[in-house]
C-alpha cells in the first residue's frame, strides 16, 4: 500500500508546497485492513503450552531421579538439580530442534521472529525468563502465582516476557497428541515406581 501511494506521488509530480496530504493519508489508511492481516498473531493456547511445559519438567525430574537416586534425599537439592537440568537441556533442544520433547509431542515449534531456529544464546535467555518469570524458580506456592499470571496474560493476548524475540507455531491440534503425552507420563511414573521398589529392596 505504501509503495502504491509513493508511485502515485511520483506520477502526479507532487511537490512539498503544493501537496495535499489528506488525499495520500486517506489512500494509505484504505489499506489498513490488509496491513493488519500481515501481522503474525502470537499463539494463544495456554493449556496446550502448559501441558507441554509440564511434560518437560516431569522429564527433567525423571532424569535427575534416575541419575542421582538414591543418593539424593534432600528436596531442596532435588529442585536445584531439576532447574540445572532444565537450563542445560532446554536451550540445546530449542537451538537444535526448535522444540522440546513436550512441545514436539503437542506439535509446538519455537522459532525466531524470522522463522529460523533460535541461537543458543537466545534459547538460553528464553529458558531463563521462563524459569524466572514463568515458574518463579520452581519455589512451592510461588510457582502457582507466576503460572496464574502467565495464564492471564496469554488469555488476554498479551506477550509473555520470554516471547519478545520468538514465535510459536502449532502443527495441528490432533487429540491423539494429548493421549501420547499423558501415556508417556504414566509410563515414566510406572518405571519410577519400579525403580523405587527395586532400589529400595
Amino acid at each position: 500500500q505504501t509503495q502504491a501511494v509513493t508511485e502515485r506521488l511520483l506520477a502526479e509530480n507532487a511537490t512539498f508546497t503544493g501537496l495535499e496530504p489528506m488525499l495520500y493519508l486517506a489512500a494509505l489508511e484504505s489499506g489498513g485492513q490488509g496491513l493488519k492481516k500481515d501481522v503474525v498473531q502470537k499463539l494463544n493456547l495456554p493449556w496446550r503450552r502448559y501441558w507441554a511445559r509440564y511434560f518437560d519438567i516431569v522429564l527433567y525430574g525423571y532424569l535427575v531421579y534416575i541419575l542421582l537416586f538414591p543418593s539424593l534425599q534432600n528436596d531442596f537439592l532435588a529442585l536445584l538439580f531439576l532447574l540445572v537440568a532444565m537450563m542445560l537441556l532446554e536451550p540445546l533442544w530449542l537451538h537444535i530442534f526448535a522444540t522440546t520433547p513436550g512441545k514436539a509431542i503437542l506439535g509446538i515449534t519455537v522459532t525466531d521472529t524470522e522463522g529460523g531456529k533460535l541461537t543458543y544464546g537466545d534459547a538460553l535467555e528464553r529458558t531463563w525468563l521462563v524459569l524466572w518469570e514463568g515458574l518463579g524458580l520452581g519455589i512451592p506456592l510461588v510457582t502457582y502465582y507466576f503460572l496464574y499470571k502467565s495464564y492471564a496474560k496469554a488469555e488476554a493476548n498479551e506477550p509473555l516476557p520470554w516471547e519478545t524475540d520468538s514465535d510459536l507455531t502449532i502443527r495441528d491440534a490432533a487429540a491423539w497428541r494429548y493421549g501420547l503425552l499423558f501415556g508417556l507420563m504414566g509410563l515414566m511414573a510406572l518405571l519410577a515406581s519400579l525403580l523405587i521398589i527395586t532400589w529400595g529392596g
Side-chain angles (χ1 to χ4, degrees):
Q1 189 71 8
T2 302
Q3 182 179 348
V5 173
T6 304
E7 290 172 350
R8 178 179 167 186
L9 283 164
L10 291 171
E12 295 176 358
N13 294 317
T15 62
F16 182 77
T17 54
L19 185 69
E20 296 184 26
M22 298 308 296
L23 292 176
Y24 301 106
L25 287 173
L28 278 174
E29 291 173 359
S30 68
Q33 285 300 111
L35 294 174
K36 287 178 182 177
K37 290 178 183 176
D38 288 339
V39 176
V40 177
Q41 299 295 321
K42 293 292 184 182
L43 185 64
N44 183 26
L45 296 169
W47 282 108
R48 178 173 288 261
R49 294 162 63 184
Y50 168 80
W51 286 114
R53 170 68 55 195
Y54 187 83
F55 180 90
D56 288 337
I57 290 174
V58 169
L59 181 59
Y60 303 140
Y62 189 77
L63 294 175
V64 169
Y65 177 80
I66 292 293
L67 293 173
L68 299 175
F69 187 86
S71 60
L72 188 61
Q73 300 294 336
N74 185 289
D75 290 341
F76 174 77
L77 287 178
L79 174 62
L80 180 61
F81 280 113
L82 187 151
L83 299 183
V84 169
M86 177 177 171
M87 289 301 300
L88 287 175
L89 294 174
E90 187 157 315
L92 285 174
W93 283 331
L94 291 173
H95 173 58
I96 297 171
F97 304 110
T99 190
T100 65
K103 287 180 174 62
I105 293 170
L106 292 184
I108 299 173
T109 302
V110 181
T111 63
D112 62 23
T113 53
E114 300 298 321
K117 292 179 180 177
L118 297 176
T119 66
Y120 178 77
D122 288 341
L124 184 64
E125 181 182 5
R126 185 184 194 278
T127 302
W128 168 249
L129 288 173
V130 168
L131 188 57
W132 175 252
E133 299 195 48
L135 297 173
L137 294 178
I139 300 171
L141 299 181
V142 175
T143 294
Y144 295 107
Y145 170 73
F146 279 90
L147 284 172
Y148 173 76
K149 282 183 59 179
S150 299
Y151 174 80
K153 283 187 176 181
E155 281 291 279
N157 285 318
E158 296 179 16
L160 297 169
W162 52 90
E163 292 184 336
T164 54
D165 296 320
S166 63
D167 287 324
L168 274 70
T169 56
I170 181 170
R171 185 186 302 272
D172 58 66
W176 66 263
R177 293 184 178 277
Y178 279 106
L180 177 60
L181 186 90
F182 293 126
L184 288 173
M185 283 197 292
L187 181 60
M188 285 192 288
L190 177 61
L191 291 175
S193 299
L194 293 175
L195 288 175
I196 289 174
I197 295 171
T198 302
W199 290 342

